[in-house]
Amino acid sequence: MRAVAVAGRRANPPWAAGHTGRGAGCDRSSASGLGSAGPRQIAMASGKSTASLMRAVQISEFGGPAVLKLQSDIPVPKPSKSQVLIRVHACGVNPVETYIRSGTYARKPPLPWTPGNDVAGVVEQVGQDVAKFKKGDRVFTSGTITGGYAEYTVASDDSVYPLPDNLSYKEGSAIGTPYFTAYRALLHKARARAAETVLVHGASGGVGIAACQIARAYGLKVLGTAGTQEGLSLAQENGAHKTFNHRETGYIDKIKNYTGGHGVNVIVEMLSNVNLSKDLQLLSNGGRVIIVGCRGSIEINPRDTMAKESSIIGIALGTATKEDRLETAAAFFAGMEAGWLRPVVGPEYPLEKVTQAHEDIMKGSGTAGKMILTM
């Protein structure tokens, strides 16, 4: 049943009666009330300004969080024909950015590099071929060209989306990678169907919350794990029918018992280097494990996939086609209108604390909501 959106507010989905969502009600400022001072001007002796500068985080070498350096003299990028320049209000922080920063990821960007794909802010300028947006529009992104850990970023116009007035900039920065990943995992890769059972392993983080909301909206039975009572409650508030504490001894057996020994059809896995072997024991016949996150290697017994004809499927957002992205975005705007897509903002850090943010996201202790940077 479709939820009815109340004017000016998102309707709460049936599983979250009375729940207002974290981060709701904050920073819904207009384009004219932008807060920070904006780009700085360098003046020549003649008095003419030569360039606009901004603050941005850059890395000049791969390594630990300490290689993240906040620079205050970076030129504001200029959009080309099909690009959009965005004044950034908030930017999501994703684990993959720590892998790239460390140099351990399969893809290594040219240096210097500014991380960040998921920004929300206001359009400052558009390229001559851009017709969908204009200066002053509120937007969010699913990718950037020049990096989002900055006061300004350039993005391709097909990675930019209008931000509804009833979502804050902070909430907007929590949509991109988490929701596009969760949708791709559930619908494009697992091909999940209504009435199936999905286990979201790590249901209280950005991708986990998105997966719970999407799976519940699409008619699945949703199970979730988290490591704290706060995380368990957060997962239930966002669509999980039943939750389990993955720090408790015997939680795997509890999940098996809950399913009556049948297992689950789909597992969305955030930490496969720890859980994959156990995941294979939890699957039902024809079950699928979708690998969203991995921080190392793990030994599994391939026989565990044979009798049940189960599948292990990896996911990478970079392989999504334009058609995939259009479908996903359409589903999300329907979810925003109906009220079930409700980003949950977790820890917030000013841009100056980016090193601490990268340290904390890798600890992964008691994740609750989407980590963001604010400008």
Side-chain angles (χ1 to χ4, degrees):
M1 181 178 71
R2 179 170 171 155
V4 177
V6 179
R9 295 187 59 186
R10 288 159 291 153
N12 282 332
W15 62 85
H19 178 63
T20 57
R22 303 181 186 202
C26 56
D27 79 340
R28 288 182 179 83
S29 53
S30 66
S32 61
L34 294 175
S36 62
R40 288 157 292 285
Q41 303 288 328
I42 295 180
M44 299 177 62
S46 64
K48 296 180 180 179
S49 61
T50 59
S52 294
L53 301 180
M54 66 176 183
R55 295 187 309 150
V57 174
Q58 287 189 339
I59 69 167
S60 298
E61 61 179 323
F62 297 108
V67 303
L68 294 160
K69 303 296 184 183
L70 179 59
Q71 310 289 349
S72 59
D73 57 352
I74 305 299
V76 173
K78 296 182 179 180
S80 66
K81 291 182 179 181
S82 60
Q83 297 174 352
V84 179
L85 175 65
I86 301 166
R87 184 169 184 178
V88 179
H89 280 244
C91 180
V93 180
N94 297 295
V96 68
E97 291 148 16
T98 70
Y99 309 152
I100 297 173
R101 182 216 68 225
S102 69
T104 60
Y105 196 63
R107 175 178 65 85
K108 292 184 180 179
L111 301 178
W113 174 66
T114 295
N117 282 318
D118 306 336
V119 310
V122 176
V123 173
E124 184 74 12
Q125 184 181 349
V126 299
Q128 64 185 48
D129 292 344
V130 176
K132 297 184 293 184
F133 302 102
K134 65 182 185 303
K135 181 178 173 65
D137 285 348
R138 303 172 78 250
V139 295
F140 71 94
T141 68
S142 61
T144 68
I145 295 171
T146 60
Y149 293 13
E151 291 177 321
Y152 289 83
T153 190
V154 163
S156 174
D157 65 347
D158 61 4
S159 297
V160 180
Y161 308 91
L163 180 65
D165 289 338
N166 62 343
L167 290 182
S168 70
Y169 292 117
K170 292 177 181 178
E171 290 170 316
S173 71
I175 297 174
T177 296
Y179 280 83
F180 278 79
T181 297
Y183 188 94
R184 186 162 183 79
L186 287 166
L187 281 305
H188 290 162
K189 294 303 176 182
R191 300 188 182 278
R193 299 182 297 274
E196 287 192 316
T197 299
V198 59
L199 171 65
V200 181
H201 228 153
S204 62
V207 177
I209 288 170
C212 287
Q213 291 179 0
I214 294 168
R216 182 69 178 255
Y218 277 74
L220 281 82
K221 181 76 170 182
V222 185
L223 313 182
T225 72
T228 66
Q229 185 56 52
E230 179 187 14
L232 295 171
S233 298
L234 193 58
Q236 289 184 339
E237 291 170 1
N238 286 279
H241 293 87
K242 179 69 175 178
T243 55
F244 304 85
N245 191 325
H246 56 64
R247 292 180 180 173
E248 290 183 357
T249 302
Y251 83 95
I252 294 293
D253 291 332
K254 292 180 180 179
I255 296 174
K256 288 181 180 178
N257 292 336
Y258 183 79
T259 65
H262 299 295
V264 299
N265 303 105
V266 176
I267 298 177
V268 179
E269 182 53 70
M270 315 298 174
L271 196 61
S272 55
N273 56 296
V274 172
N275 298 319
L276 184 55
S277 182
K278 293 177 285 189
D279 289 344
L280 295 177
Q281 308 297 321
L282 281 172
L283 289 176
S284 61
N285 290 337
R288 296 85 78 195
V289 180
I290 311 300
I291 307 298
V292 171
C294 180
R295 300 182 184 180
S297 59
I298 185 173
E299 181 177 331
I300 65 168
N301 186 345
R303 287 184 179 274
D304 292 336
T305 69
M306 295 169 66
K308 298 178 182 178
E309 294 190 323
S310 52
S311 303
I312 303 170
I313 304 171
I315 177 177
L317 274 185
T319 64
T321 65
K322 182 178 180 179
E323 291 72 23
D324 289 338
R325 294 193 297 271
L326 287 172
E327 174 197 330
T328 304
F332 290 168
F333 284 112
M336 293 175 199
E337 181 182 355
W340 61 256
L341 194 155
R342 301 173 299 109
V344 177
V345 176
E348 302 178 23
Y349 299 79
L351 197 57
E352 296 84 355
K353 298 292 185 180
V354 63
T355 299
Q356 187 65 50
H358 269 227
E359 291 175 353
D360 291 350
I361 198 171
M362 291 309 294
K363 292 176 183 176
S365 178
T367 303
K370 176 62 181 171
M371 179 182 289
I372 67 168
L373 296 172
T374 57
M375 306 304 147

